[in-house]
mmCIF file of all heavy atoms in Angstrom:
data_model
loop_
_atom_site.group_PDB
_atom_site.id
_atom_site.type_symbol
_atom_site.label_atom_id
_atom_site.label_comp_id
_atom_site.label_asym_id
_atom_site.label_seq_id
_atom_site.Cartn_x
_atom_site.Cartn_y
_atom_site.Cartn_z
ATOM 1 N N VAL N 124 270.388 116.957 84.118
ATOM 2 C CA VAL N 124 270.194 115.953 83.001
ATOM 3 C C VAL N 124 268.780 115.971 82.761
ATOM 4 O O VAL N 124 268.352 115.758 81.547
ATOM 5 C CB VAL N 124 270.665 114.596 83.543
ATOM 6 C CG1 VAL N 124 270.352 113.447 82.583
ATOM 7 C CG2 VAL N 124 272.302 114.621 83.723
ATOM 8 N N LYS N 125 267.899 116.105 83.689
ATOM 9 C CA LYS N 125 266.499 116.007 83.408
ATOM 10 C C LYS N 125 265.787 117.255 83.013
ATOM 11 O O LYS N 125 264.573 117.455 82.702
ATOM 12 C CB LYS N 125 265.749 115.412 84.689
ATOM 13 C CG LYS N 125 266.172 114.056 85.161
ATOM 14 C CD LYS N 125 265.202 113.471 86.125
ATOM 15 C CE LYS N 125 265.226 111.999 86.213
ATOM 16 N NZ LYS N 125 266.457 111.302 86.080
ATOM 17 N N GLY N 126 266.621 118.360 82.935
ATOM 18 C CA GLY N 126 266.100 119.638 82.502
ATOM 19 C C GLY N 126 265.198 120.400 83.546
ATOM 20 O O GLY N 126 264.317 121.157 83.089
ATOM 21 N N ILE N 127 265.272 120.007 84.767
ATOM 22 C CA ILE N 127 264.443 120.581 85.851
ATOM 23 C C ILE N 127 264.832 122.084 86.123
ATOM 24 O O ILE N 127 265.980 122.229 86.313
ATOM 25 C CB ILE N 127 264.439 119.748 87.046
ATOM 26 C CG1 ILE N 127 263.744 118.354 86.737
ATOM 27 C CG2 ILE N 127 263.632 120.347 88.161
ATOM 28 C CD1 ILE N 127 263.964 117.417 87.833
ATOM 29 N N PRO N 128 263.894 122.991 86.178
ATOM 30 C CA PRO N 128 264.304 124.288 86.654
ATOM 31 C C PRO N 128 264.803 124.232 88.136
ATOM 32 O O PRO N 128 264.299 123.527 88.986
ATOM 33 C CB PRO N 128 263.003 125.130 86.574
ATOM 34 C CG PRO N 128 262.128 124.448 85.629
ATOM 35 C CD PRO N 128 262.498 122.890 85.726
ATOM 36 N N ILE N 129 265.901 125.025 88.329
ATOM 37 C CA ILE N 129 266.602 124.983 89.664
ATOM 38 C C ILE N 129 266.770 126.398 90.141
ATOM 39 O O ILE N 129 267.291 127.154 89.486
ATOM 40 C CB ILE N 129 268.024 124.269 89.593
ATOM 41 C CG1 ILE N 129 268.034 122.896 88.776
ATOM 42 C CG2 ILE N 129 268.708 124.129 90.908
ATOM 43 C CD1 ILE N 129 269.432 122.322 88.577
ATOM 44 N N VAL N 130 266.223 126.589 91.296
ATOM 45 C CA VAL N 130 266.465 127.894 92.060
ATOM 46 C C VAL N 130 267.605 127.618 93.017
ATOM 47 O O VAL N 130 267.478 126.689 93.747
ATOM 48 C CB VAL N 130 265.141 128.394 92.816
ATOM 49 C CG1 VAL N 130 265.561 129.607 93.567
ATOM 50 C CG2 VAL N 130 263.962 128.554 91.757
ATOM 51 N N ILE N 131 268.659 128.510 93.006
ATOM 52 C CA ILE N 131 269.767 128.285 93.924
ATOM 53 C C ILE N 131 269.902 129.384 94.871
ATOM 54 O O ILE N 131 269.932 130.603 94.345
ATOM 55 C CB ILE N 131 271.050 128.011 93.168
ATOM 56 C CG1 ILE N 131 270.937 126.843 92.259
ATOM 57 C CG2 ILE N 131 272.241 127.731 94.223
ATOM 58 C CD1 ILE N 131 272.223 126.324 91.493
ATOM 59 N N ASP N 132 269.849 129.121 96.231
ATOM 60 C CA ASP N 132 269.763 130.260 97.136
ATOM 61 C C ASP N 132 270.738 129.826 98.327
ATOM 62 O O ASP N 132 271.182 128.611 98.315
ATOM 63 C CB ASP N 132 268.233 130.320 97.733
ATOM 64 C CG ASP N 132 268.055 131.429 98.644
ATOM 65 O OD1 ASP N 132 268.834 132.528 98.375
ATOM 66 O OD2 ASP N 132 267.289 131.363 99.583
ATOM 67 N N ALA N 133 270.954 130.778 99.129
ATOM 68 C CA ALA N 133 271.746 130.524 100.439
ATOM 69 C C ALA N 133 272.938 129.647 100.263
ATOM 70 O O ALA N 133 273.849 129.912 99.380
ATOM 71 C CB ALA N 133 270.694 129.954 101.468
ATOM 72 N N ASP N 134 273.135 128.574 101.010
ATOM 73 C CA ASP N 134 274.271 127.772 100.939
ATOM 74 C C ASP N 134 274.475 127.045 99.649
ATOM 75 O O ASP N 134 275.640 126.581 99.303
ATOM 76 C CB ASP N 134 274.322 126.786 102.145
ATOM 77 C CG ASP N 134 274.197 127.476 103.399
ATOM 78 O OD1 ASP N 134 274.992 128.324 103.641
ATOM 79 O OD2 ASP N 134 273.352 127.051 104.230
ATOM 80 N N GLY N 135 273.344 126.928 98.808
ATOM 81 C CA GLY N 135 273.505 126.418 97.516
ATOM 82 C C GLY N 135 274.490 127.414 96.741
ATOM 83 O O GLY N 135 275.274 127.022 95.905
ATOM 84 N N LEU N 136 274.409 128.669 96.989
ATOM 85 C CA LEU N 136 275.063 129.804 96.307
ATOM 86 C C LEU N 136 276.483 129.644 96.825
ATOM 87 O O LEU N 136 277.577 130.052 96.116
ATOM 88 C CB LEU N 136 274.577 131.174 96.544
ATOM 89 C CG LEU N 136 273.200 131.354 95.859
ATOM 90 C CD1 LEU N 136 272.525 132.586 96.437
ATOM 91 C CD2 LEU N 136 273.350 131.341 94.352
ATOM 92 N N TRP N 137 276.815 129.300 98.028
ATOM 93 C CA TRP N 137 278.144 129.025 98.655
ATOM 94 C C TRP N 137 278.779 127.947 97.726
ATOM 95 O O TRP N 137 279.916 128.170 97.255
ATOM 96 C CB TRP N 137 278.022 128.559 99.939
ATOM 97 C CG TRP N 137 279.291 128.140 100.716
ATOM 98 C CD1 TRP N 137 279.700 126.827 100.835
ATOM 99 C CD2 TRP N 137 280.304 129.069 101.256
ATOM 100 N NE1 TRP N 137 281.001 126.864 101.487
ATOM 101 C CE2 TRP N 137 281.369 128.179 101.686
ATOM 102 C CE3 TRP N 137 280.485 130.445 101.459
ATOM 103 C CZ2 TRP N 137 282.510 128.602 102.361
ATOM 104 C CZ3 TRP N 137 281.618 130.880 102.024
ATOM 105 C CH2 TRP N 137 282.524 129.962 102.455
ATOM 106 N N LEU N 138 278.155 126.914 97.556
ATOM 107 C CA LEU N 138 278.652 125.874 96.655
ATOM 108 C C LEU N 138 278.911 126.357 95.234
ATOM 109 O O LEU N 138 279.979 126.010 94.812
ATOM 110 C CB LEU N 138 277.697 124.732 96.628
ATOM 111 C CG LEU N 138 277.810 123.479 95.556
ATOM 112 C CD1 LEU N 138 279.180 122.765 96.072
ATOM 113 C CD2 LEU N 138 276.630 122.579 95.579
ATOM 114 N N ILE N 139 278.047 127.134 94.676
ATOM 115 C CA ILE N 139 278.397 127.692 93.326
ATOM 116 C C ILE N 139 279.580 128.581 93.332
ATOM 117 O O ILE N 139 280.274 128.627 92.420
ATOM 118 C CB ILE N 139 277.037 128.367 92.787
ATOM 119 C CG1 ILE N 139 275.860 127.254 92.656
ATOM 120 C CG2 ILE N 139 277.321 129.034 91.531
ATOM 121 C CD1 ILE N 139 276.176 126.038 91.910
ATOM 122 N N SER N 140 279.624 129.334 94.358
ATOM 123 C CA SER N 140 280.825 130.271 94.345
ATOM 124 C C SER N 140 282.197 129.498 94.501
ATOM 125 O O SER N 140 283.206 129.973 93.983
ATOM 126 C CB SER N 140 280.723 131.418 95.405
ATOM 127 O OG SER N 140 280.564 130.837 96.690
ATOM 128 N N GLN N 141 282.113 128.264 94.980
ATOM 129 C CA GLN N 141 283.359 127.305 95.068
ATOM 130 C C GLN N 141 283.489 126.641 93.737
ATOM 131 O O GLN N 141 284.578 126.501 93.257
ATOM 132 C CB GLN N 141 283.204 126.301 96.086
ATOM 133 C CG GLN N 141 282.740 126.669 97.366
ATOM 134 C CD GLN N 141 283.662 127.512 98.258
ATOM 135 O OE1 GLN N 141 284.829 127.192 98.352
ATOM 136 N NE2 GLN N 141 283.146 128.608 98.719
ATOM 137 N N GLN N 142 282.346 126.284 92.995
ATOM 138 C CA GLN N 142 282.420 125.554 91.845
ATOM 139 C C GLN N 142 281.351 126.086 90.789
ATOM 140 O O GLN N 142 280.403 125.426 90.559
ATOM 141 C CB GLN N 142 282.056 124.120 92.149
ATOM 142 C CG GLN N 142 282.948 123.414 93.216
ATOM 143 C CD GLN N 142 282.592 121.915 93.433
ATOM 144 O OE1 GLN N 142 282.341 121.097 92.454
ATOM 145 N NE2 GLN N 142 282.570 121.540 94.584
ATOM 146 N N PRO N 143 281.682 127.265 90.222
ATOM 147 C CA PRO N 143 280.792 127.795 89.299
ATOM 148 C C PRO N 143 280.330 126.983 88.144
ATOM 149 O O PRO N 143 279.225 127.017 87.633
ATOM 150 C CB PRO N 143 281.290 129.215 88.917
ATOM 151 C CG PRO N 143 282.462 129.351 89.888
ATOM 152 C CD PRO N 143 282.867 127.969 90.440
ATOM 153 N N SER N 144 281.239 126.135 87.659
ATOM 154 C CA SER N 144 280.996 125.481 86.454
ATOM 155 C C SER N 144 279.921 124.321 86.646
ATOM 156 O O SER N 144 279.289 123.811 85.665
ATOM 157 C CB SER N 144 282.227 124.596 85.986
ATOM 158 O OG SER N 144 282.590 123.678 86.982
ATOM 159 N N LEU N 145 279.465 124.136 87.990
ATOM 160 C CA LEU N 145 278.431 123.218 88.246
ATOM 161 C C LEU N 145 277.111 123.614 87.579
ATOM 162 O O LEU N 145 276.149 122.777 87.264
ATOM 163 C CB LEU N 145 278.394 123.179 89.798
ATOM 164 C CG LEU N 145 277.410 122.019 90.445
ATOM 165 C CD1 LEU N 145 277.618 120.723 89.915
ATOM 166 C CD2 LEU N 145 277.588 122.217 91.966
ATOM 167 N N ILE N 146 276.989 124.969 87.492
ATOM 168 C CA ILE N 146 275.608 125.535 87.029
ATOM 169 C C ILE N 146 275.823 126.496 85.830
ATOM 170 O O ILE N 146 274.856 126.763 85.116
ATOM 171 C CB ILE N 146 274.908 126.248 88.251
ATOM 172 C CG1 ILE N 146 273.269 126.170 87.887
ATOM 173 C CG2 ILE N 146 275.484 127.591 88.484
ATOM 174 C CD1 ILE N 146 272.680 124.926 88.025
ATOM 175 N N GLN N 147 277.038 126.861 85.594
ATOM 176 C CA GLN N 147 277.383 127.814 84.422
ATOM 177 C C GLN N 147 276.732 127.300 83.224
ATOM 178 O O GLN N 147 276.828 126.160 82.773
ATOM 179 C CB GLN N 147 278.764 127.894 84.271
ATOM 180 C CG GLN N 147 279.358 129.122 83.675
ATOM 181 C CD GLN N 147 280.841 129.246 83.878
ATOM 182 O OE1 GLN N 147 281.559 128.309 84.135
ATOM 183 N NE2 GLN N 147 281.447 130.482 83.781
ATOM 184 N N GLY N 148 275.973 128.230 82.518
ATOM 185 C CA GLY N 148 275.358 127.845 81.191
ATOM 186 C C GLY N 148 274.163 127.033 81.223
ATOM 187 O O GLY N 148 273.472 126.810 80.255
ATOM 188 N N TYR N 149 273.739 126.629 82.469
ATOM 189 C CA TYR N 149 272.303 125.951 82.535
ATOM 190 C C TYR N 149 271.308 127.054 82.588
ATOM 191 O O TYR N 149 271.064 127.538 83.712
ATOM 192 C CB TYR N 149 272.402 124.979 83.788
ATOM 193 C CG TYR N 149 271.199 124.220 83.895
ATOM 194 C CD1 TYR N 149 270.775 123.263 83.003
ATOM 195 C CD2 TYR N 149 270.218 124.372 84.992
ATOM 196 C CE1 TYR N 149 269.598 122.409 83.051
ATOM 197 C CE2 TYR N 149 269.053 123.511 85.058
ATOM 198 C CZ TYR N 149 268.779 122.622 84.090
ATOM 199 O OH TYR N 149 267.670 121.943 84.234
ATOM 200 N N GLN N 150 270.680 127.180 81.556
ATOM 201 C CA GLN N 150 269.665 128.221 81.509
ATOM 202 C C GLN N 150 268.416 128.105 82.196
ATOM 203 O O GLN N 150 267.604 129.044 82.342
ATOM 204 C CB GLN N 150 269.410 128.727 80.009
ATOM 205 C CG GLN N 150 270.731 128.993 79.328
ATOM 206 C CD GLN N 150 270.801 130.228 78.506
ATOM 207 O OE1 GLN N 150 269.849 130.615 78.033
ATOM 208 N NE2 GLN N 150 271.979 130.845 78.373
ATOM 209 N N ARG N 151 268.146 126.918 82.804
ATOM 210 C CA ARG N 151 267.037 126.815 83.707
ATOM 211 C C ARG N 151 267.297 126.905 85.135
ATOM 212 O O ARG N 151 266.646 126.386 86.021
ATOM 213 C CB ARG N 151 266.493 125.386 83.371
ATOM 214 C CG ARG N 151 265.988 125.237 81.935
ATOM 215 C CD ARG N 151 265.338 123.894 81.639
ATOM 216 N NE ARG N 151 265.034 123.811 80.159
ATOM 217 C CZ ARG N 151 264.504 122.834 79.601
ATOM 218 N NH1 ARG N 151 264.396 121.675 80.246
ATOM 219 N NH2 ARG N 151 264.270 122.809 78.338
ATOM 220 N N ALA N 152 268.398 127.595 85.382
ATOM 221 C CA ALA N 152 268.759 127.852 86.832
ATOM 222 C C ALA N 152 268.531 129.387 87.064
ATOM 223 O O ALA N 152 268.648 130.236 86.213
ATOM 224 C CB ALA N 152 270.222 127.640 86.992
ATOM 225 N N ILE N 153 268.162 129.734 88.345
ATOM 226 C CA ILE N 153 267.977 131.029 88.730
ATOM 227 C C ILE N 153 268.722 131.097 90.114
ATOM 228 O O ILE N 153 268.449 130.372 90.998
ATOM 229 C CB ILE N 153 266.445 131.357 89.127
ATOM 230 C CG1 ILE N 153 265.631 131.072 87.753
ATOM 231 C CG2 ILE N 153 266.219 132.849 89.439
ATOM 232 C CD1 ILE N 153 264.136 131.235 88.004
ATOM 233 N N LEU N 154 269.636 132.094 90.230
ATOM 234 C CA LEU N 154 270.328 132.304 91.427
ATOM 235 C C LEU N 154 269.740 133.561 92.258
ATOM 236 O O LEU N 154 269.433 134.563 91.507
ATOM 237 C CB LEU N 154 271.826 132.693 91.056
ATOM 238 C CG LEU N 154 272.516 131.721 90.076
ATOM 239 C CD1 LEU N 154 274.034 132.272 89.966
ATOM 240 C CD2 LEU N 154 272.490 130.384 90.520
ATOM 241 N N THR N 155 269.609 133.320 93.494
ATOM 242 C CA THR N 155 268.889 134.501 94.387
ATOM 243 C C THR N 155 269.879 134.898 95.467
ATOM 244 O O THR N 155 269.521 134.743 96.654
ATOM 245 C CB THR N 155 267.635 133.990 94.924
ATOM 246 O OG1 THR N 155 267.925 132.882 95.761
ATOM 247 C CG2 THR N 155 266.540 133.674 93.836
ATOM 248 N N PRO N 156 270.984 135.548 95.079
ATOM 249 C CA PRO N 156 271.980 136.034 96.162
ATOM 250 C C PRO N 156 271.428 137.252 96.921
ATOM 251 O O PRO N 156 271.003 138.203 96.259
ATOM 252 C CB PRO N 156 273.124 136.285 95.403
ATOM 253 C CG PRO N 156 272.682 136.660 93.997
ATOM 254 C CD PRO N 156 271.465 135.885 93.799
ATOM 255 N N ASN N 157 271.696 137.135 98.308
ATOM 256 C CA ASN N 157 271.600 138.466 99.073
ATOM 257 C C ASN N 157 272.954 139.141 98.913
ATOM 258 O O ASN N 157 273.789 138.764 98.100
ATOM 259 C CB ASN N 157 271.322 138.072 100.484
ATOM 260 C CG ASN N 157 272.470 137.356 101.150
ATOM 261 O OD1 ASN N 157 273.512 137.188 100.720
ATOM 262 N ND2 ASN N 157 272.085 136.622 102.346
#
Side-chain angles (χ1 to χ4, degrees):
V124 171
K125 293 191 158 45
I127 296 173
I129 309 176
V130 176
I131 305 192
D132 187 31
D134 302 310
L136 294 168
W137 171 264
L138 173 64
I139 297 304
S140 56
Q141 317 290 310
Q142 301 181 46
S144 62
L145 187 53
I146 204 69
Q147 207 169 14
Y149 183 66
Q150 305 227 331
R151 294 179 188 176
I153 308 177
L154 311 183
T155 57
N157 64 17

